[in-house]
Amino acid sequence: MAAFHAAQVADRSHREVVGPLLPGAGPNGLVSFRGAIIAEWGDVDRPEMCFSVTKTVLSAVAGAAFDRGLLPDVHAPVETTVDLPLHLGPELTWHHLLQQTSGWAGQLWGKPAYADVQSLRDGGSATYAAPGSEWAYNDVRVNLLALALTALWRR
């Protein structure tokens, strides 16, 4: 994992990892249905890096927030819905964060959006773009969604 990460960010600034970087140890998983485990493989007790599945989990968390009335309007500005320690602007909505079209160019945990190499690979902008104007696979912006959902749920 460390070698893969180093290769991904070799030509970028802000290369340091925030948080753990765990080694991969092969496939593992568990499927449950109505509380019963119906399939299991590998070491399911070992923490695993999840990367892109984060977006799926966050969309499920946002859906649960919508169902519970915590997020009644996905087109509402994020800033008017939750209290965050940064300025997003009144035009940035939950819809933009969920669709990866936020265009946000701020900084989280010392990592600016422009340092995310994924944005450049997919034709998106690593700098500010008007919300809704372009799509970018950008992990810093997905982290912003995670932070906003954490604030929305207050946990």
Side-chain angles (χ1 to χ4, degrees), residues 39-102:
E40 186 175 341
W41 61 96
D43 182 0
V44 298
D45 293 321
R46 179 183 43 81
E48 185 64 63
M49 304 296 288
C50 62
F51 302 108
S52 290
V53 77
T54 301
K55 295 157 188 72
T56 303
V57 172
L58 291 176
S59 65
V61 170
F66 181 83
D67 287 348
R68 293 184 185 193
L70 296 174
L71 182 60
D73 180 8
V74 295
H75 296 287
V78 177
E79 271 194 353
T80 63
T81 313
V82 295
D83 185 27
L84 295 175
L86 50 126
H87 176 67
L88 303 180
E91 66 282 348
L92 199 150
T93 68
W94 289 94
H95 184 258
H96 295 130
L97 289 178
L98 289 162
Q99 296 292 316
Q100 293 183 261
T101 61
S102 74

Side-chain angles (χ1 to χ4, degrees), residues 104-108 111-117 119 125-127 138 140-141:
W104 182 72
Q107 181 173 307
L108 281 178
K111 302 291 185 180
Y114 70 77
D116 194 328
V117 295
S119 292
S125 173
T127 58
N138 182 298
V140 175
R141 294 171 184 158

